[in-house]
Amino acid sequence: MPRDSTRDRLLAAAIGVFAEKGYRDATVAEVCEAASANIAAVNYHFGSKEKLFRQVLREAFFRADEVYPIDGGLQPDSAPDARLHAFMAALIRRNSDDGPAGDFNRIMLHHGTRESAPDALIHSEMAALQGNTLDSILAEILGTRAKEPLITAKLNIIGLCVFPSIAHRLRNHLFPENPKPAHLKRFIDRQHAFALAGLAALTPATK
């Protein structure tokens, strides 16, 4: 059955609005206008802006993960360096996708650069949707589950994946035009190699 109900239209419109403006600047009125619906429909189907945002996170994540799965299709017992490559490739490719598969990362980038969204909601949804994928990979590579080195490693890995999307001039320098698959793969491979070198340097401190 085609997804043409009022709820589906509201959700699709909300993903676009939140991806463009973030939680703070997006308004329910804008979502309703884009969905050709009224505010009463949002209250009926979702209850509030925050509850709508929760559904937006879930739907946008599933869209992204369908195209760029965070595990790259690898088994959980695959080598951790291969799983790290898959994780980084998914994030970088999502950041480079201007279509629906990139909406989740665009929403999260607003959260990462503004004090605007409901943190507790986002953290709980991320835990439910993505689990501790990156933490598990890094713990295996570093040989420790100590909090401090894991946080340091995690922040640096995520930075390698998302920084070009935040620094638009840098992204334009790296990719003057939309990156071709071969160029994007080379960039992913280099970021992954850099990450492994950094983790190798960090490992002795964790022993």
Side-chain angles (χ1 to χ4, degrees):
M1 176 178 289
R3 293 174 55 127
D4 192 34
S5 70
T6 300
R7 184 184 188 281
D8 290 333
R9 294 201 318 274
L10 284 167
L11 187 56
I15 290 173
V17 173
F18 282 121
E20 179 184 355
K21 297 195 169 185
Y23 182 86
R24 182 189 67 188
D25 295 335
T27 67
V28 172
E30 289 173 308
V31 172
C32 291
E33 182 179 359
S36 298
N38 56 46
I39 292 177
V42 172
N43 295 330
Y44 175 77
H45 289 288
F46 300 99
S48 67
K49 177 183 177 180
E50 187 169 307
K51 290 179 181 178
L52 171 62
F53 185 63
R54 182 186 297 275
Q55 294 303 316
V56 161
L57 288 178
R58 294 176 181 178
E59 180 68 17
F61 178 85
F62 292 139
R63 289 184 184 183
D65 207 51
E66 185 175 25
V67 180
Y68 308 114
I70 208 72
D71 62 5
L74 298 176
Q75 295 299 316
D77 59 353
S78 298
D81 59 332
R83 284 157 44 218
L84 179 62
H85 187 281
F87 182 96
M88 295 180 70
L91 259 62
I92 292 170
R93 292 186 189 282
R94 292 177 185 184
N95 287 332
S96 301
D97 193 319
D98 293 328
D103 283 336
F104 180 78
N105 277 36
R106 282 188 285 277
I107 293 169
M108 294 304 295
L109 283 175
H110 285 293
H111 166 62
T113 57
R114 300 177 183 175
E115 295 181 4
S116 57
D119 288 342
L121 183 156
I122 289 176
H123 293 158
S124 68
E125 284 302 310
M126 287 299 294
L129 293 169
Q130 193 166 293
N132 61 347
T133 302
L134 183 56
D135 297 71
S136 297
I137 294 169
L138 294 175
E140 193 169 345
I141 292 174
L142 294 172
T144 182
R145 290 190 175 274
K147 185 176 181 179
E148 184 175 348
L150 279 179
I151 290 176
T152 299
K154 188 173 182 178
L155 289 175
N156 280 277
I157 297 299
I158 293 174
L160 286 170
C161 296
V162 306
F163 184 70
S165 296
I166 298 173
H168 296 291
R169 293 183 66 183
L170 174 59
R171 178 179 175 179
N172 292 339
H173 178 72
L174 287 169
F175 306 114
E177 302 176 357
N178 288 332
K180 295 181 172 59
H183 295 161
L184 196 57
K185 181 182 183 304
R186 184 161 61 246
F187 177 72
I188 291 168
D189 290 344
R190 287 174 176 172
Q191 296 298 84
H192 176 245
F194 194 87
L196 289 179
L199 292 171
L202 184 61
T203 300
T206 68
K207 300 300 184 181

